[in-house]
């Protein structure tokens, strides 16, 4: 049985903003009934501000909760602010989702992106996409035919959430969760992404914007470093991020540190340097 936060259960039992807007300024779709989950989101926009949002969804409780919280997150915000919302923002607003249900937050992000495609000028959308993701969006290529998941969606899920395994990609996108024939293609995408990341770091460059770097540091600490420290009763708290300086509060020890003859601080720093940027420095604070 999956462990859901109280906020997930609240939005599942009492979903907000269910329905449709007949004169919507933007409409977005994600998923399909053949996959088991489908979401349609309607936006009303005036003077660049989302004044109303409603949704219709078919799926599990996590899909309902993700859709419901998303509408609350975007009402009253500017289109520019809404465009920057990621699937991690949706999951975090819910107090977290089980790994097997993260694809529900991705579906919300994908539906929102689809809605904004129909509203924002194409040239402006392309420019905004370049600013957020560091590259132009390529032609849509279906990787997982069972669930209709594109290469671009997998690439962006890896980039936003620091995914390292095929299983993680499946949890976030459903790709590879049926017949499994696309798992080798998913692994190729993972390998290509991290090869490019490593090459950029070796050349002293970065493919991450400041906002993306903060998101990725958070993800690495939450999903990789903290679980390793907790094995020996230790833990880490992220205090602040200032450029390449990552301020953390550390406690306890970790078996990984002893095995590699590293201090707790250097253990954290090594992981962040390898995963994100070789120029990162960890600063321990009280």
């Amino acid at each position: 049985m999956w462990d859901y936060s109280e906020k997930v259960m609240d939005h599942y039992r009492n979903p907000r903003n269910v329905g449709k807007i007949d004169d919507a300024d933007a409409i977005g779709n994600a998923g399909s009934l053949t996959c088991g989950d489908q979401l349609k989101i309607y936006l009303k926009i005036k003077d660049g501000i989302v004044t109303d949002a409603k949704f219709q969804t078919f799926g599990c409780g996590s899909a309902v909760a993700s859709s419901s919280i998303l509408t609350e997150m975007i009402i009253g915000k500017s289109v520019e602010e809404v465009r920057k919302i990621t699937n991690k923002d949706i999951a975090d607003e819910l107090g977290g989702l089980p790994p097997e249900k993260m694809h529900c937050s991705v579906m919300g992000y994908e539906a929102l992106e689809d809605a904004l495609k129909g509203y924002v000028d194409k040239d402006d959308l392309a420019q905004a996409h370049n600013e957020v993701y560091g590259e132009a969006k390529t032609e849509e290529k279906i990787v997982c035919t069972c669930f209709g998941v594109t290469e671009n969606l997998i690439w962006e899920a890896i980039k936003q959430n620091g995914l390292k395994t095929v299983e993680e990609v499946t949890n976030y996108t459903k790709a590879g969760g049926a017949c499994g024939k696309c798992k080798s293609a998913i692994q190729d995408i993972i390998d290509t992404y991290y090869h490019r990341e490593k090459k950029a770091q070796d050349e002293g460059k970065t493919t991450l914007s400041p906002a993306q770097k903060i998101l990725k540091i958070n993800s690495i600490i939450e999903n990789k470093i903290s679980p390793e420290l907790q094995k020996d009763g230790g833990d880490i708290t992220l205090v602040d991020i200032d450029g390449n300086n990552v301020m953390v509060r550390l406690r306890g020890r970790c078996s990984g540190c002893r095995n590699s003859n590293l201090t707790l601080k250097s253990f954290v720093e090594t992981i962040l340097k390898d995963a994100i940027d070789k120029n990162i420095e960890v600063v321990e604070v009280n």
Side-chain angles (χ1 to χ4, degrees):
M1 186 69 179
W2 291 304
D3 185 22
Y4 293 106
S5 70
E6 290 184 7
K7 207 165 186 179
V8 170
M9 297 305 298
D10 178 36
H11 277 268
Y12 166 57
R13 292 168 177 155
N14 306 287
R16 284 67 151 172
N17 304 308
V18 178
K20 64 181 294 187
I21 300 175
D22 291 329
D23 58 344
D25 296 301
I27 300 174
N29 293 278
S32 68
L33 292 179
T34 58
C35 305
D37 294 308
Q38 186 176 38
L39 168 63
K40 192 168 189 176
I41 191 167
Y42 303 83
L43 307 180
K44 192 68 181 171
I45 302 170
K46 183 177 181 181
D47 298 328
I49 303 296
V50 176
T51 59
D52 195 13
K54 294 190 182 298
F55 77 93
Q56 296 173 320
T57 190
F58 177 87
C60 63
S62 295
V64 173
S66 295
S67 305
S68 174
I69 197 74
L70 176 59
T71 59
E72 288 199 327
M73 291 170 66
I74 63 179
I75 293 176
K77 287 188 170 61
S78 69
V79 171
E80 289 301 313
E81 291 176 302
V82 170
R83 192 168 54 199
K84 295 175 182 177
I85 291 174
T86 68
N87 74 278
K88 187 176 186 301
D89 295 329
I90 299 170
D92 287 347
E93 192 70 20
L94 284 170
L97 285 169
E100 297 85 357
K101 292 296 181 178
M102 282 300 294
H103 65 269
C104 295
S105 65
V106 174
M107 185 171 68
Y109 158 78
E110 194 177 14
L112 187 60
E113 184 183 48
D114 187 54
L116 294 180
K117 284 179 186 175
Y119 175 76
V120 184
D121 180 81
K122 291 183 178 180
D123 292 335
D124 290 342
L125 180 64
Q127 181 180 353
H129 192 282
N130 289 341
E131 291 174 356
V132 175
Y133 298 115
E135 60 183 23
K137 195 167 186 175
T138 58
E139 183 182 351
E140 293 287 316
K141 175 184 176 183
I142 301 294
V143 174
C144 177
T145 55
C146 295
F147 294 115
V149 181
T150 66
E151 182 177 28
N152 289 328
L153 180 59
I154 294 172
W155 187 274
E156 291 176 7
I158 294 169
K159 182 179 289 187
Q160 289 183 13
N161 302 283
L163 309 183
K164 293 288 185 71
T165 67
V166 174
E167 181 181 6
E168 289 176 332
V169 170
T170 301
N171 288 338
Y172 276 72
T173 68
K174 283 193 173 183
C179 73
K181 291 181 179 179
C182 61
K183 287 186 176 181
S184 60
I186 296 171
Q187 186 63 59
D188 287 342
I189 296 172
I190 294 172
D191 293 343
T192 300
Y193 173 78
Y194 285 104
H195 172 75
R196 292 186 185 180
E197 286 284 288
K198 186 176 185 305
K199 183 178 179 182
Q201 289 180 13
D202 289 343
E203 293 174 351
K205 302 175 182 177
T206 178
T207 59
L208 300 175
S209 68
Q212 286 176 317
K213 179 180 284 190
I214 290 172
L215 286 173
K216 193 165 184 181
I217 289 173
N218 268 295
S219 179
I220 295 296
I221 287 176
E222 290 177 5
N223 300 313
K224 187 172 183 179
I225 297 176
S226 184
E228 184 64 33
L229 300 187
Q230 289 172 357
K231 291 178 182 178
D232 273 10
D235 209 349
I236 179 173
T237 301
L238 178 62
V239 177
D240 196 10
I241 299 174
D242 183 11
N244 285 322
N245 294 322
V246 180
M247 279 70 83
V248 299
R249 187 175 294 113
L250 299 167
R251 68 172 184 270
R253 299 177 60 84
C254 69
S255 56
C257 306
R258 293 196 297 272
N259 294 339
S260 54
N261 295 318
L262 295 173
T263 65
L264 198 57
K265 173 179 172 294
S266 60
F267 173 75
V268 173
E269 191 170 83
T270 297
I271 291 178
L272 291 177
K273 283 178 179 287
D274 290 344
I276 301 174
D277 189 329
K278 66 180 181 181
N279 296 312
I280 282 179
E281 291 187 12
V282 171
V283 180
E284 190 172 358
V285 299
N286 295 324

